[in-house]
Amino acid sequence: MELDNRTRVQEFILLGFGVGRQERFLLLIFFGILYVITLAENITIITLVVLDTHLSRLPMYILLGNFSWLEICYVSTTAPRMLVDLASPYGVISFSDCFLQFYMLFSFGATENFFLSAMALDRHVAICHPLHYPQLMTQESCYNLVVACWICGFMGYVIPVIMMSNMSFCGPNVIDHFLCDPGPILALACPPFGVAPIVFQICANVLILGNVLFAVLSYAVIILTLMKPSFEGSRRKAFSTISFHIVVVTLFYGSVAGMYLAPDGENQREIAKAITLFYTSATPFLNPMIYCLRNDQVKEALRRLSKRNLTFGRRR
């Protein structure tokens, strides 16, 4: 769809998945159910952390409760829009809404980077410096860490998004994706491109690689510490705890790495869609299950809450 070179693009068309009507309906049902389950999982964790007096005082669960709220915001940035587009012949999104989705998606993603680093820090202090843990990871310091994660996450992409939104878009307005991703957006920009793409790439690399390095080093030190003879009695329990954290970190950064390692060629766009779909829909669904599937404290809190509700119901 070619536009007059003197006319600025006012809206974009999202092509989505490029499948037929029947396949679109099946995808609509599948991702609709996945979205509802994801919301239910994360709301359950938040409810447990807020209502259970024991979990609400533990730094790890303060972080986990806020992480679950982040996952709700993260998946809600893309899923509702994707479901609406699957229910319609094609997706039309305004210029401002497209860049707003781009900013919110990457800001929530950057915030998740910082939360994964914060949880790695919490486990590092708990295992490597257990005597100092009560003084270092107080409730106040934990909430300060949460606020820092949100602020840093939302500050990281302000300048790149503003610069990219001020670029010239005067040609085709069709985005071969199901969301407003920077790659397809930049492909529609008219030269000269300026420094906006470079600034965006620098910010993305610093945020992602910095947090990856911090998380990897933290868990490496934890593993080396657990291999010491002094941890022989509690090694299995500690490994069981951090293994879930490592799985979540691997899933998130593995999918991000896939975007960088995707091969060039005709299938690159489809691979990019599949990887984007994984880290925007699948990981928010899997993370609550991974963190809480074998977590005895969460199971015990769920039993206490169920017992309390049952007792309250009988009194009524």
Side-chain angles (χ1 to χ4, degrees):
M1 183 178 296
E2 295 289 340
L3 302 178
D4 188 348
N5 287 336
R6 295 168 297 176
T7 304
R8 181 180 173 86
V9 168
Q10 299 296 320
E11 62 185 23
F12 293 106
I13 297 176
L14 297 172
L15 292 184
F17 299 98
V19 295
R21 181 178 299 180
Q22 184 175 359
E23 289 80 4
R24 289 165 66 93
F25 177 75
L26 293 175
L27 289 174
L28 175 64
I29 298 298
F30 175 76
F31 287 115
I33 294 173
L34 189 68
Y35 179 55
V36 171
I37 295 175
T38 301
L39 294 181
E41 289 176 335
N42 286 286
I43 289 173
T44 300
I45 294 177
I46 294 172
T47 304
L48 286 175
V49 172
V50 171
L51 297 183
D52 190 86
T53 55
H54 177 63
L55 293 186
S56 62
R57 294 194 299 266
L58 298 177
M60 185 175 74
Y61 291 97
I62 294 174
L63 292 172
L64 185 57
N66 281 274
F67 185 76
S68 293
W69 170 244
L70 169 63
E71 292 287 59
I72 291 175
C73 298
Y74 185 54
V75 72
S76 298
T77 304
T78 58
R81 175 79 209 189
M82 181 176 66
L83 295 175
V84 170
D85 290 343
L86 284 171
S88 60
Y90 54 87
V92 177
I93 185 170
S94 68
F95 185 90
S96 58
D97 287 347
C98 187
F99 275 91
L100 177 61
Q101 185 191 58
F102 166 32
Y103 172 71
M104 297 301 291
L105 176 64
F106 274 76
S107 294
F108 284 128
T111 305
E112 183 159 345
N113 276 269
F114 286 110
F115 262 101
L116 292 175
S117 293
M119 288 189 280
L121 175 65
D122 174 74
R123 292 299 85 200
H124 173 82
V125 177
I127 294 173
C128 300
H129 307 282
L131 297 179
H132 300 289
Y133 184 76
Q135 290 77 34
L136 294 176
M137 294 300 293
T138 62
Q139 282 187 308
E140 182 180 359
S141 63
C142 192
Y143 282 117
N144 289 336
L145 192 59
V146 168
V147 173
C149 288
W150 283 99
I151 293 176
C152 292
F154 272 77
M155 290 295 292
Y157 288 99
V158 171
I159 294 176
V161 171
I162 292 175
M163 293 179 67
M164 289 174 62
S165 65
N166 288 323
M167 294 175 65
S168 177
F169 295 89
C170 52
N173 64 339
V174 178
I175 297 177
D176 189 8
H177 214 302
F178 61 88
L179 52 77
C180 291
D181 195 63
I185 291 176
L186 287 173
L188 301 180
C190 303
F193 302 117
V195 297
I198 299 174
V199 171
F200 168 76
Q201 196 64 50
I202 291 173
C203 290
N205 288 341
V206 170
L207 286 171
I208 295 172
L209 296 178
N211 283 285
V212 167
L213 183 62
F214 183 86
V216 169
L217 290 176
S218 296
Y219 288 117
V221 173
I222 290 172
I223 293 172
L224 291 175
T225 302
L226 291 176
M227 297 305 295
K228 294 180 180 179
S230 57
F231 282 88
E232 187 173 357
S234 58
R235 184 180 300 158
R236 183 175 180 181
K237 183 178 180 180
F239 267 124
S240 177
T241 301
I242 68 166
S243 62
F244 300 127
H245 292 253
I246 294 174
V247 169
V248 171
V249 169
T250 303
L251 284 175
F252 183 78
Y253 288 120
S255 58
V256 173
M259 294 295 292
Y260 286 91
L261 299 176
D264 296 331
E266 297 180 359
N267 296 326
Q268 182 184 13
R269 292 180 181 178
E270 298 305 319
I271 294 173
K273 288 180 188 179
I275 295 173
T276 305
L277 196 62
F278 182 80
Y279 69 72
T280 57
S281 297
T283 54
F285 166 74
L286 293 172
N287 287 346
M289 298 175 62
I290 295 170
Y291 274 124
C292 302
L293 189 61
R294 293 180 57 188
N295 192 310
D296 293 333
Q297 288 180 308
V298 171
K299 292 178 181 178
E300 184 62 30
L302 189 59
R303 281 193 290 267
R304 286 195 296 265
L305 183 61
S306 301
K307 186 177 180 180
R308 188 192 310 171
N309 291 338
L310 184 61
T311 303
F312 179 75
R314 287 176 178 175
R315 289 178 180 176
R316 293 186 62 185

